[in-house]
């Protein structure tokens, strides 16, 4: 135990965390006062304190772990705010948005890559990168705007979750095409099957099993915080199973949130988790800025390419 702990510079980790939390909250406050989402301020703050500018904080395994916990808790909160019946109503619209929002940007990105003189393989990867939708940032912006309960947010978040599954399949197909020159139906079926199997089984557990278990624990427990702690543990379990199914852990966290939204102790759990999330969630968005290499982007050809792909991505998604 001592040997394991001695390999970590605990003082450095704690100092980095102190800097990140203070700077994140100051940036969020400033962003809110000028009328932009707090998440934008936190990402910019990460760029400023990261290696690209003043280098107060650097990327590390410990920062990555704290950031991942943050985004998992964020999607857990988002899932808890969703009404499963209402989400089911916009299911068809979400899938339609996801399909169009993946197909159009990918096609345009592929054509843009070819137009820029890139090889077909490179153009495929360019197109594949434009299919992704950041569930974390999407959810945080809606949360900052206090719009999670709107029909539009449900459609967009449902589409973002579907995009994660589609992006997984597209990436598997593109990688196989580039590496082997062809793709077989087995690869696609295995990838899609694993993702769908997780969604079906996890969804059934979220609806039928988890709420009953947590309601029982809430009735029988005597120790303060037991049900909320078990809820977070269940979230990490769902996130782990999602990763084993080759999905992002945040998809598992979102499904766990849907399960918790159906418990009789929803408000109590949400309050407890909110206290923990307020510490970890900003770490995730600040870490995005810390990991951004501004120097590598500060070249005219890179800026031009980024601007072109950004226009294609926004137009395709819209």
């Amino acid at each position: 135990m001592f040997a394991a702990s001695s390999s970590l510079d605990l003082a450095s980790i704690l100092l980095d965390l102190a800097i990140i939390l203070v700077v994140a909250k100051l940036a969020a406050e400033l962003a809110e006062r000028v009328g932009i989402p707090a998440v934008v301020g936190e990402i910019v703050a990460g760029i400023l304190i990261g290696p690209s500018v003043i280098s107060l904080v650097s990327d590390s395994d410990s920062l990555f772990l704290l950031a991942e916990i943050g985004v998992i808790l964020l999607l857990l909160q988002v899932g808890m705010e969703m009404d499963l019946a209402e989400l089911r109503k916009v299911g068809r619209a979400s899938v339609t948005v996801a399909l169009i929002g993946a197909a159009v940007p990918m096609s345009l990105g592929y054509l843009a890559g070819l137009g820029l003189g890139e090889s077909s393989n490179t153009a495929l990867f360019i197109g594949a990168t434009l299919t992704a939708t950041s569930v974390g940032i999407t959810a945080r912006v809606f949360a900052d705007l206090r719009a999670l309960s709107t029909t539009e947010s449900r459609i967009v978040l449902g589409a973002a979750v579907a995009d994660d599954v589609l992006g997984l399949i597209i990436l598997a197909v593109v990688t196989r095409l580039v590496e082997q020159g062809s793709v077989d139906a087995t690869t696609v079926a295995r990838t899609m099957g694993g993702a769908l199997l997780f969604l079906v089984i996890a969804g059934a557990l979220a609806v039928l099993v988890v709420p009953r278990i947590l309601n029982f624990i809430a009735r029988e427990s005597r120790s303060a915080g037991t049900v909320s702690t078990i809820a977070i543990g269940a979230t990490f379990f769902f996130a782990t199973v999602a990763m084993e199914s080759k999905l992002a852990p945040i998809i598992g966290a979102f499904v766990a949130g849907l399960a918790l939204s159906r418990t009789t102790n929803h408000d109590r759990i949400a309050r407890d988790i909110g206290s923990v999330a307020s510490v970890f969630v900003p770490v995730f968005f600040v870490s995005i800025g810390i990991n951004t290499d501004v120097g590598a982007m500060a070249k005219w050809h890179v800026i031009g390419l980024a601007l072109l792909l950004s226009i294609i991505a926004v137009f395709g998604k819209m």
Side-chain angles (χ1 to χ4, degrees), residues 192-281:
M192 185 181 298
L196 293 178
L197 186 64
F198 166 78
L199 292 174
V200 171
I201 296 177
L205 289 173
V207 173
L208 303 174
V209 180
V210 175
R212 295 180 181 180
I213 293 175
L214 288 175
N215 290 340
F216 173 79
I217 292 173
R219 287 195 308 269
E220 300 299 326
S221 63
R222 296 294 179 265
S223 176
T226 297
V227 66
S228 298
T229 303
I230 297 297
I232 293 177
T235 300
F236 291 154
F237 173 75
F238 273 87
T240 302
V241 177
M243 292 183 68
E244 293 298 320
S245 303
K246 309 303 181 185
L247 289 172
I250 55 177
I251 303 301
F254 181 75
V255 174
L258 293 176
L260 297 181
S261 71
R262 299 171 61 83
T263 64
T264 55
N265 290 270
H266 171 274
D267 293 341
R268 174 182 168 186
I269 296 173
R271 184 171 60 251
D272 291 345
I273 289 176
S275 300
V276 179
S278 64
V279 175
F280 285 99
V281 171

